[in-house]
């Protein structure tokens, strides 16, 4: 259960208030509620004079959303009465925990609860059910766990002309959590970016799945704050930061930085390689801007000599250095000409323009000229000062220009933009297939008889287990030389994680973290973060790629051995893959469930099957891997244009890395893709079928494709059976697909599998084929098919 009935918090048919407000913010929300038209709200209370009191619950028909002001008013019988009359959501304002009996009473009707300790929700285009009032309309959703941080963020945004599509505060998250709202934001067409504040994660697998889905379609900026219930909590948890990076989120460290990051990602164009030219109205501020870029790890850029010559012709009095241009007291029109010429110069991706106050200058008027000039996608503007700068900054913000009050904020925003781009690129890089990662039975972890609790594996058992992952003991003394320290640990929220650092390390030496599974691409990135680059590292005497293979295999150990509680391994250089200089493994008799142990769904190797085909042929059907990208591109590139149109509903001249990465690097919690390995062409693909479920897991869309060289063998049926079996196993109740009317083979196949046809809601050239099954029937594909035929 994720986004079901979440819409009721933002677009309810009518609202019901329950109980007496306990504080000033609740009283303000009540005031806003009572100001709604009578047809939109009602008030239910026994103790407050002046309210319109509902005599009986049956009078509350069609009140889709309830606002709980007083927790003492809520009883299971009241909740059941409300749900019977159509209530689908509650905003729980008090800090009093939501009793489990209340949640159980509304479970049959999927009653959603926002809180406890929520301050409500508001939609810019409908109504505000919070103490804040309606936010200014925008395209950013704000999701927060903290009421106070949400209020501060809203006030700061209002002062900088930033609007919101909607806002919601989850509070203690008895039911609705940040993952639910990320799923809602991902599907909301009015939301183009998301701001997220959190201090804890209740369900790591659910959060990671929702965060990855949302970040793939729109920028997500996250602010991590210490847990209010943990006085020993550090300002930021590095494991949570690693989880955010893995999901594709951009993390910031302060409230104001949230909006700097958003401004960078929403107002600065995609084509950015980090070549930033500095233009300013004074030599000193140009140097400050250059220094701020260097501090953020960005490189100031210099236009070509020809471009500088052109600029000097435009502005004879201009002063310039290798990476900066001082326009001094040039007129507004001359300044705009200089900006246009710099942006057009080869070798420049972006321009940071810094303007300081000066007598006789109208900064707000110049800001309006910047907006009119339409230079915004590759321009970052800084107006220094306070009183005179504020109107100019606001005018730029309203015009969609990324504008800041300091060079530090501008440089930080550019770094966030680069980090977002690099993170997205990293998540789609193709790893190398490690033969030990897939296609074999994992080695068994030896368990002593009648042992409870945890124990340290004897050295011989630990060595044998590690050798099953291709990691051999070093032939030399364990303390000799420098190496790499890899630890596997359990996080209280995120489950298993990996910690890597150089060994021995100084107190200031960096440590990097990641969630398993980790492939060689991610492992190489981790090593780069601690200073072990892609080249041969002389002090360690080993290439980073060889260490990366060892780190990836230790990650596989963490995934495949549920009883492994923790590990401490020292890797030493060797001729090839790094070897084990020291290892201490701790196991436990009763491990947690997979979902609690692993925040990311592991590769489902158990779903592989051998499919019988016509002519006594067979093919291996297995789940797609990221390493299948090259083979997938080759298969798709061999299709004729009509085959491509029937599958993708359009002609595609070339399949790119980005397209194939989207198809091969999937979230196994929400999407399942089976590929058929061609029996006559080892390493090549003969067909593919995909099932993508909605966030609730109750409905899924399928697609299938068979290479024409393997048509007529029954491979399409086998690929469809694989996804139908999987859907039945997951309890998916409705499976559908959109098929072009001229795609006769797919229409015939779906009919033979029990699908029925429905009119397509949007495209008259398509038909929707649907297979529906009640919960008690969703157990196997055979049951699915027999039910559909009856």
């Amino acid at each position: 259960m994720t986004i079901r009935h979440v819409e009721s918090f933002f677009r309810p048919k009518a609202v019901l208030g329950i109980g007496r407000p306990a504080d000033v913010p609740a009283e303000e929300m009540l005031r806003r509620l009572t100001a709604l038209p009578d047809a939109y709200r009602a008030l239910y209370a026994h103790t407050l004079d002046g309210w319109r009191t509902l005599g009986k619950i049956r009078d509350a028909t069609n009140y889709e959303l309830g606002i709980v002001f007083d927790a003492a008013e809520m009883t299971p019988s009241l909740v059941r009465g409300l749900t019977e009359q159509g209530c689908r959501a509650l905003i729980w304002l008090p800090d009093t925990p939501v009793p489990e009996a209340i949640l159980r009473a509304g479970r049959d009707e999927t009653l959603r609860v926002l809180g406890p300790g929520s301050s409500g929700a508001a939609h810019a285009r409908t109504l505000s059910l919070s103490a804040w009032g309606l936010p200014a309309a925008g395209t950013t959703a704000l999701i927060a766990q903290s009421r106070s941080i949400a209020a501060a963020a809203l006030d700061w945004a209002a002062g900088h002309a930033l609007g919101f599509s909607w806002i919601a505060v989850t509070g203690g998250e008895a039911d609705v959590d940040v993952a639910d709202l990320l799923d809602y934001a991902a599907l909301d067409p009015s939301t183009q970016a998301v701001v997220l504040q959190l201090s804890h994660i209740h369900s790591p697998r659910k959060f990671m799945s929702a965060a990855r889905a949302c970040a793939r379609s729109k920028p997500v900026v996250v602010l991590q704050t210490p847990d209010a219930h943990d006085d020993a909590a550090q300002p930021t948890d590095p494991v949570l930061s690693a989880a955010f990076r893995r999901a594709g989120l951009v993390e910031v460290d302060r409230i104001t930085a949230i909006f700097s990051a958003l401004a960078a990602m929403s107002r600065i164009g995609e084509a950015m390689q980090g070549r930033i030219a500095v233009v300013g109205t004074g030599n000193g501020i140009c140097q400050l801007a250059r220094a701020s870029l260097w501090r953020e790890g960005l490189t100031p850029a210099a236009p070509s000599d020809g471009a500088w010559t052109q600029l000097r012709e435009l502005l004879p009095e201009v002063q310039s250095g290798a990476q900066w241009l001082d326009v001094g007291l040039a007129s507004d029109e001359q300044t705009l000409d200089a900006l246009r010429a710099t942006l057009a110069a080869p070798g420049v991706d972006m321009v940071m323009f810094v303007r300081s106050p000066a007598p006789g200058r109208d900064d707000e008027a110049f800001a309006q000229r910047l907006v009119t000039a339409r230079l915004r996608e590759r321009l970052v503007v800084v107006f220094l000062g306070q009183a005179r700068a504020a109107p100019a900054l606001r005018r730029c913000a309203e015009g969609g220009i990324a504008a800041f009050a300091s060079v530090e904020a501008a440089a930080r925003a550019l770094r966030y933009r680069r980090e977002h781009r690099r993170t997205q690129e990293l998540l789609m890089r193709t790893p190398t297939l490690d033969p030990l990662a897939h296609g074999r039975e994992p080695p068994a972890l030896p368990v002593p008889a009648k042992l409870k609790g945890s124990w340290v594996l004897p050295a011989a058992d630990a060595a044998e287990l590690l050798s099953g992952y291709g990691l051999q003991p070093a032939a030399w003394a364990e303390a000799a030389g420098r190496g790499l320290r890899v630890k596997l640990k359990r996080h209280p929220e995120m489950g298993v994680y990996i910690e890597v650092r150089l060994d021995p390390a100084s107190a200031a030496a960096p440590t990097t973290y990641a969630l398993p599974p980790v492939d060689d691409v991610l492992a190489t990135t981790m090593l780069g973060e601690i200073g072990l680059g892609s080249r041969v590292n002389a002090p360690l005497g080993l290439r980073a790629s060889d260490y990366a293979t060892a780190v990836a295999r230790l990650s596989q150990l963490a995934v495949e051995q549920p009883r492994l509680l923790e590990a401490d391994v020292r890797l030493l250089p060797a001729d090839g893959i790094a070897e084990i200089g020291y290892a201490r493994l701790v196991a436990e008799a009763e491990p947690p469930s997979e979902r609690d142990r692993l925040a990311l769904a592991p590769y489902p190797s158990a779903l592989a099957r051998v499919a019988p085909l016509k002519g006594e042929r067979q093919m291996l059907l297995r789940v797609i891997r990221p390493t299948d990208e090259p083979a997938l591109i080759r298969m798709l590139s061999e299709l004729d244009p009509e085959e491509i149109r029937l599958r993708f509903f359009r002609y595609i001249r070339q399949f790119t890395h980005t397209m194939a990465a989207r198809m091969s690097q999937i979230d196994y919690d929400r999407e399942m893709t089976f590929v058929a390995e061609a029996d006559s062409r080892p390493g090549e693909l003969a067909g593919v079928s995909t099932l993508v479920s909605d966030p609730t897991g109750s409905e899924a869309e399928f697609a299938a494709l068979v290479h024409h060289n393997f048509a007529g063998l029954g491979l399409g049926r086998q690929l469809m059976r694989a996804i139908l079996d999987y859907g039945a196993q997951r309890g998916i109740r409705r499976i559908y697909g959109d098929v072009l009317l001229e795609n006769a083979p797919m229409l015939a196949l779906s009919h033979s599998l029990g699908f029925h046809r429905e009119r397509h809601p949007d495209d008259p050239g398509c038909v929707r084929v649907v297979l529906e099954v009640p919960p008690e029937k969703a157990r196997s594909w055979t049951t699915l098919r027999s039910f559909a035929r009856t």
Side-chain angles (χ1 to χ4, degrees):
M1 178 174 67
T2 49
I3 63 171
R4 190 175 183 190
H5 295 158
V6 170
E7 181 82 357
S8 298
F9 292 110
F10 304 109
R11 301 175 185 272
K13 297 175 182 176
V15 186
L16 177 71
I18 305 172
R20 181 196 294 269
D23 52 34
V24 173
E27 290 175 355
E28 178 62 20
M29 187 184 295
L30 174 62
R31 187 188 67 78
R32 296 185 184 279
L33 182 59
T34 54
L36 293 174
D38 286 344
Y40 211 95
R41 49 86 183 167
L43 302 173
Y44 170 75
H46 300 289
T47 57
L48 188 59
D49 293 338
W51 288 25
R52 184 160 63 86
T53 302
L54 297 179
K56 299 179 180 179
I57 289 299
R58 65 172 177 267
D59 295 332
T61 302
N62 294 326
Y63 288 100
E64 189 176 355
L65 173 66
I67 300 179
V68 179
F69 293 102
D70 184 357
E73 292 279 348
M74 299 303 295
T75 64
S77 61
L78 174 60
V79 170
R80 284 191 290 270
L82 289 172
T83 57
E84 287 172 2
Q85 298 300 324
C87 185
R88 294 294 174 262
L90 294 175
I91 295 177
W92 195 282
L93 300 182
D95 291 326
T96 308
V98 182
E100 179 61 30
I102 296 293
L103 297 174
R104 283 199 307 269
R107 197 159 288 158
D108 288 344
E109 299 297 333
T110 322
L111 180 73
R112 309 310 307 272
V113 181
L114 190 66
S118 173
S119 52
H123 195 288
R125 293 171 178 82
T126 54
L127 74 163
S128 172
L129 298 171
S130 70
W132 314 303
L134 278 173
T139 59
T140 298
L142 172 62
I143 305 169
Q145 291 178 334
S146 166
R147 292 176 293 198
S148 57
I149 292 178
L154 284 167
D155 188 68
W156 195 95
H160 290 76
L162 294 172
F164 294 90
S165 52
W166 50 266
I167 54 181
V169 176
T170 62
E173 298 186 352
D175 174 39
V176 174
D177 58 17
V178 294
D180 297 326
L181 294 169
L182 282 170
D183 276 326
Y184 182 78
L187 299 174
D188 179 21
S190 67
T191 296
Q192 297 179 11
V194 179
V195 168
L196 173 64
Q197 175 274 322
L198 55 75
S199 58
H200 55 273
I201 297 173
H202 287 166
S203 176
R205 181 79 70 88
K206 178 184 174 185
F207 170 79
M208 290 298 292
S209 189
R212 292 171 73 186
C214 192
R216 273 197 165 190
S217 60
K218 50 198 71 175
V220 181
V221 177
V222 59
L223 172 66
Q224 180 187 167
T225 56
D227 191 337
H229 303 290
D230 184 0
D231 292 335
Q234 296 298 313
T236 58
D237 185 330
V239 178
L240 290 185
S241 296
F244 299 152
R245 289 194 300 273
R246 188 66 173 274
L249 279 56
V250 175
E251 184 175 12
V252 298
D253 59 359
R254 65 199 79 178
I255 292 178
T256 55
I258 288 176
F259 300 100
S260 295
L262 271 181
M265 286 184 285
S266 63
R267 296 171 178 170
I268 299 175
E270 283 283 349
M272 176 185 171
Q273 300 177 15
R275 299 175 299 185
I276 306 166
V278 172
V279 178
T281 58
N283 190 309
I285 60 174
C286 286
Q287 304 310 317
L288 284 176
R290 288 178 65 248
S292 69
L293 292 174
W294 282 113
R295 281 194 296 271
E296 296 296 339
L298 302 169
T299 304
S304 64
D305 291 339
W308 277 144
T309 301
Q310 181 184 2
L311 286 166
R312 290 190 181 95
E313 291 175 355
L314 287 170
L315 300 170
E317 304 299 324
V318 71
Q319 299 184 44
S320 64
Q323 300 160 335
W324 55 273
L325 175 71
D326 174 16
V327 298
L329 297 176
S331 68
D332 288 354
E333 190 58 41
Q334 289 175 316
T335 301
L336 287 173
D337 288 340
L339 291 175
R340 291 189 186 97
T342 307
L343 285 167
V348 173
D349 296 309
M350 300 287 301
V351 169
M352 179 193 288
F353 173 63
V354 187
R355 182 177 169 108
S356 61
R361 281 180 173 168
D362 187 336
D363 288 346
E364 185 176 6
F366 179 72
Q368 183 57 51
R369 298 192 72 171
L370 280 175
V371 172
T372 305
R374 300 184 180 275
L375 303 177
R376 69 182 188 89
E377 288 191 358
R378 297 171 53 212
L379 180 67
V380 173
V381 180
V382 179
F383 285 95
L384 298 176
Q386 182 65 41
R388 295 176 60 178
L393 291 170
R394 189 175 188 87
R395 185 61 59 94
C396 283
E398 292 170 346
I401 294 178
F404 304 91
S406 70
V407 291
E408 292 80 11
R412 190 163 53 242
L414 288 167
R415 173 172 62 82
Y416 291 142
R417 185 69 183 88
R418 184 192 63 177
E419 287 179 359
H420 179 256
R421 183 171 182 267
R422 287 186 175 179
T423 299
Q424 296 298 315
E425 290 176 348
L426 175 63
L427 293 176
M428 289 196 292
R429 287 175 60 186
T430 306
T432 304
L433 177 63
D434 185 346
L436 287 179
H438 301 292
R440 57 90 173 98
E441 284 293 325
L445 187 152
V447 180
K450 299 181 180 179
L451 187 64
K452 297 182 179 180
S454 62
W455 71 94
V456 178
L457 268 67
D461 289 347
E464 182 179 358
L465 181 63
L466 290 169
S467 68
Y469 290 88
L471 301 171
Q472 303 301 325
W476 53 327
E478 64 182 39
R482 297 189 64 189
L484 196 71
R485 201 64 169 265
V486 182
K487 295 183 179 181
L488 306 177
K489 298 180 178 180
R490 295 261 183 92
H491 188 268
E493 292 180 349
M494 301 307 295
V496 179
Y497 70 94
I498 304 171
E499 175 186 305
V500 179
R501 63 177 174 84
L502 296 177
D503 185 49
S506 65
T511 302
T512 184
Y513 304 83
L515 302 178
V518 169
D519 55 37
D520 63 315
V521 169
L522 292 172
T524 300
T525 302
M526 294 177 69
L527 297 177
E529 291 172 353
I530 59 173
L532 188 57
S534 57
R535 299 179 179 177
V536 174
N537 186 284
L540 301 186
L542 190 65
R543 292 179 304 172
S545 60
D546 295 326
Y547 274 122
T549 300
V551 171
R553 291 183 177 181
L554 287 172
S555 162
Q556 195 68 14
L557 169 75
V559 170
E560 294 181 345
Q561 302 296 334
R563 284 196 169 90
L564 185 68
L565 179 60
E566 61 183 60
D568 184 357
V569 179
R570 189 168 188 240
L571 297 174
L572 296 175
D575 185 13
I577 298 174
E579 294 180 343
I580 304 296
Y582 164 84
R584 181 179 184 271
L585 307 184
V586 180
E588 61 181 342
E590 299 179 1
S593 68
E594 182 192 273
R595 293 190 69 86
D596 290 334
R597 193 172 63 86
L598 298 174
L600 295 169
Y603 179 77
S605 56
L607 294 179
R609 62 170 72 181
V610 175
L613 304 177
K614 294 178 182 179
E616 298 184 353
R617 296 176 66 175
Q618 292 182 335
M619 281 193 191
L620 174 65
L621 303 189
R622 59 167 176 80
V623 176
I624 200 168
R625 299 186 290 247
T627 53
D628 287 321
E629 181 201 318
L632 182 62
I633 290 179
R634 286 193 294 272
M635 184 193 77
L636 294 172
S637 299
E638 292 175 0
L639 301 177
D640 62 50
E642 191 61 18
E643 287 178 297
I644 293 172
R645 188 182 71 86
L646 291 177
R647 165 60 181 86
F648 296 98
F649 290 43
R650 61 190 176 96
Y651 294 110
I652 301 174
R653 299 183 62 181
Q654 181 180 5
F655 288 92
T656 65
H657 156 71
T658 300
M659 297 169 66
R662 294 277 188 181
M663 298 173 67
S664 59
Q665 300 186 24
I666 63 175
D667 179 358
Y668 298 121
D669 266 335
R670 298 192 177 195
E671 183 175 355
M672 195 54 62
T673 296
F674 286 88
V675 295
E677 291 190 350
D679 52 355
S680 59
R681 300 162 62 188
E684 298 302 303
L685 303 181
V688 58
S689 62
T690 297
L691 191 69
V692 182
S693 67
D694 68 355
T696 68
S698 61
E699 181 177 87
E701 181 177 6
F702 80 86
L705 175 68
V706 174
H707 191 287
H708 52 254
N709 287 345
F710 302 92
L713 299 177
L715 180 56
R717 179 176 295 273
Q718 293 295 340
L719 285 167
M720 285 295 295
R721 289 192 62 171
I723 58 174
L724 291 176
D725 275 341
Y726 174 76
Q729 178 187 346
R730 292 293 299 265
I732 295 174
R733 297 179 56 181
R734 186 175 189 267
I735 297 175
Y736 71 93
D738 294 337
V739 184
L740 289 173
L741 288 171
E742 60 265 41
N743 193 349
M746 178 53 73
L747 290 174
L749 175 59
S750 60
H751 176 73
S752 69
L753 292 171
F755 286 77
H756 68 270
R757 297 189 188 188
E758 293 182 357
R759 184 186 299 274
H760 195 279
D762 303 313
D763 189 347
C766 290
V767 63
R768 179 160 289 179
V769 294
V770 180
L771 185 63
E772 297 187 40
V773 171
E776 65 274 12
K777 299 291 184 180
R779 294 293 180 268
S780 69
W781 180 83
T782 304
T783 306
L784 256 173
R785 182 173 58 174
S786 62
F787 173 78
R789 288 187 175 280
T790 58

